[in-house]
Amino acid sequence: MGKGGAISESVLKKVLLSYAYVAIWIFLSFSVIVYNKYILDQKMYNWPFPISLTMIHMAFCSSIAYLLVSVFKVVEPVSMSRELYFKSVVPIGALYSLSLWFSNSAYIYLSVSFIQMLKALMPVAVYSIGVSLKKEKFKSDTMANMVSISLGVAVAAYGEAKFNSKGVTLQLLAVAFEATRLVMIQILLNSKGISLNPITSLYYVAPCCLVFLSVPWLIMEYPLLRDNSSFHLDFVIFGTNSFCAFALNLAVFLLVGKTSALTMNVAGVVKDWLLIAFSWSVIKDTVTPINLFGYGLAFLGVAYYNHSKLQALKAAEGQKKAQQADEEAGRLLEEREEGNDRKNDSQN
């Protein structure tokens, strides 16, 4: 009984830790989204400069990542040639900068709740791009699921009280660029056996983002900031905001590393519902019944997609274990036959 109790205690500890990682990620993701909305929204902090905000995040994250990798040696850098850096990391950095820029820009025009509803299209974008680049196999049932998610988001958009076409376009572009980035990571890095954790990812990618964002920043936002005599950088607001963004990257590493990417997807659905509730109850954004009905449809589609992924992972794991068992049985059979051969030789 004591042994069984020890096993149960170990399992309970593992489960509680997993829930703790999920809770930390949800809290930080929630905080970054609401904080960005607070800074960029004209009715709140009223600092509508999304490129500048994204560059502040990238500069902060680059600096911390550089200190952790190059100065304090907390994290080992990844061995990477200059050619690989320019062919793989730079395109991913460009996509990441566009994703962050458009995503932050959408907060100026759309409510937090509606943005979360539009983000439900991420699996659709990832799957569609994966199929087009031949990284995913086309399956009619999966495509039907993608259509159901898209239909749900379309209904939610139809019921949006404060629909803004510019904001929707920006958010859809952000989803498209982020989905492309995720597929490109698989193609350009993972296929070469290179895996970047959040620290090394920021170490290599964040400086690229700064360079790419500096071009539209110089054209679009720098003249406005230069001519605005009342502008001053609030180090408390932007410092804590940047720290939350950096901590979120660490939380992603913890969550995916200690659980799985699928757990993060499921936790993301919970976070979206919490954000919708917060947006409606605290920020006083208008959430209509049609909004909720449409997002409910999309939510069911995403839930089914996550369930299908889980079943596929279980099947792949089972197949891998069966293959390992067959190989082990074959090895034991060979050893036994060799032993019998040696025994026969000695008798002769």
Side-chain angles (χ1 to χ4, degrees):
M1 185 176 177
K3 187 177 179 181
I7 293 172
S8 298
E9 187 178 340
S10 173
V11 171
L12 180 62
K13 184 179 179 181
K14 187 176 180 181
V15 170
L16 289 175
L17 276 174
S18 296
Y19 277 116
Y21 297 135
V22 169
I24 290 169
W25 178 80
I26 288 177
F27 172 76
L28 287 170
S29 182
F30 186 100
S31 300
V32 169
I33 289 169
V34 173
Y35 212 158
N36 286 353
K37 173 66 174 177
Y38 167 74
I39 290 173
L40 295 165
D41 197 293
Q42 294 177 350
K43 296 177 182 177
M44 299 183 194
Y45 190 76
N46 190 24
W47 199 73
F49 300 105
I51 305 175
S52 301
L53 182 63
T54 307
M55 290 181 72
I56 290 170
H57 288 173
M58 290 298 101
F60 183 90
C61 291
S62 296
S63 302
I64 299 297
Y66 177 79
L67 290 173
L68 292 175
V69 174
S70 297
V71 178
F72 298 111
K73 311 290 184 183
V74 175
V75 180
E76 286 293 323
V78 176
S79 179
M80 189 180 301
S81 66
R82 185 183 295 271
E83 182 184 5
L84 181 62
Y85 180 82
F86 280 103
K87 285 186 176 181
S88 300
V89 175
V90 170
I92 290 169
L95 291 167
Y96 193 37
S97 63
L98 290 169
S99 170
L100 292 172
W101 169 18
F102 292 133
S103 180
N104 283 333
S105 298
Y107 287 112
I108 298 173
Y109 305 98
L110 302 175
S111 66
V112 169
S113 58
F114 188 43
I115 284 175
Q116 300 315 119
M117 294 176 189
L118 291 174
K119 284 182 180 179
L121 288 169
M122 185 61 74
V124 180
V126 171
Y127 179 72
S128 301
I129 293 168
V131 169
S132 65
L133 295 177
K134 297 182 179 179
K135 296 304 294 183
E136 292 272 1
K137 291 182 179 179
F138 178 85
K139 296 179 181 178
S140 56
D141 56 340
T142 305
M143 183 53 70
N145 185 22
M146 298 298 107
V147 171
S148 70
I149 295 172
S150 303
L151 180 63
V153 173
V155 172
Y158 177 77
E160 176 61 19
K162 297 178 181 177
F163 186 90
N164 183 289
S165 57
K166 184 175 182 179
V168 170
T169 301
L170 287 168
Q171 185 55 49
L172 292 179
L173 284 171
V175 168
F177 284 121
E178 178 62 11
T180 307
R181 182 182 77 91
L182 294 174
V183 175
M184 285 297 106
I185 286 175
Q186 186 181 356
I187 294 173
L188 299 176
L189 291 179
N190 295 352
S191 62
K192 295 180 174 64
I194 296 174
S195 179
L196 299 178
N197 64 46
I199 302 297
T200 52
S201 178
L202 290 172
Y203 178 78
Y204 290 110
V205 174
C208 289
C209 291
L210 273 174
V211 173
F212 282 113
L213 289 169
S214 64
V215 177
W217 179 76
L218 285 169
I219 298 169
M220 300 171 65
E221 292 188 4
Y222 173 69
L224 296 173
L225 290 167
R226 180 192 58 203
D227 298 337
N228 188 352
S229 58
S230 62
F231 166 73
H232 67 283
L233 192 65
D234 189 323
F235 288 100
V236 174
I237 292 290
F238 292 102
T240 52
N241 178 247
S242 298
F243 179 79
C244 286
F246 180 78
L248 177 60
N249 281 278
L250 298 184
V252 170
F253 177 60
L254 268 178
L255 184 60
V256 175
K258 301 298 182 179
T259 58
S260 68
L262 189 64
T263 301
M264 192 176 79
N265 288 341
V266 175
V269 173
V270 176
K271 177 206 69 179
D272 290 344
W273 280 111
L274 290 173
L275 277 165
I276 290 169
F278 179 85
S279 177
W280 170 72
S281 61
V282 178
I283 304 178
K284 303 300 180 184
D285 286 333
T286 303
V287 179
T288 67
I290 299 178
N291 270 150
L292 293 177
F293 176 73
Y295 185 64
L297 288 177
F299 163 74
L300 291 174
V302 172
Y304 179 77
Y305 176 76
N306 288 333
H307 173 73
S308 301
K309 281 284 187 183
L310 179 60
Q311 295 304 113
L313 285 172
K314 284 182 177 179
E317 189 65 26
Q319 188 176 0
K320 184 178 179 182
K321 286 182 179 178
Q323 185 178 354
Q324 288 175 343
D326 290 342
E327 289 175 355
E328 181 67 16
R331 187 178 63 81
L332 290 172
L333 185 61
E334 285 180 6
E335 289 178 355
R336 185 179 297 175
E337 289 176 350
E338 288 175 1
N340 289 335
D341 291 341
R342 283 195 295 269
K343 186 177 179 180
N344 293 332
D345 291 341
S346 63
Q347 288 176 351
N348 293 332

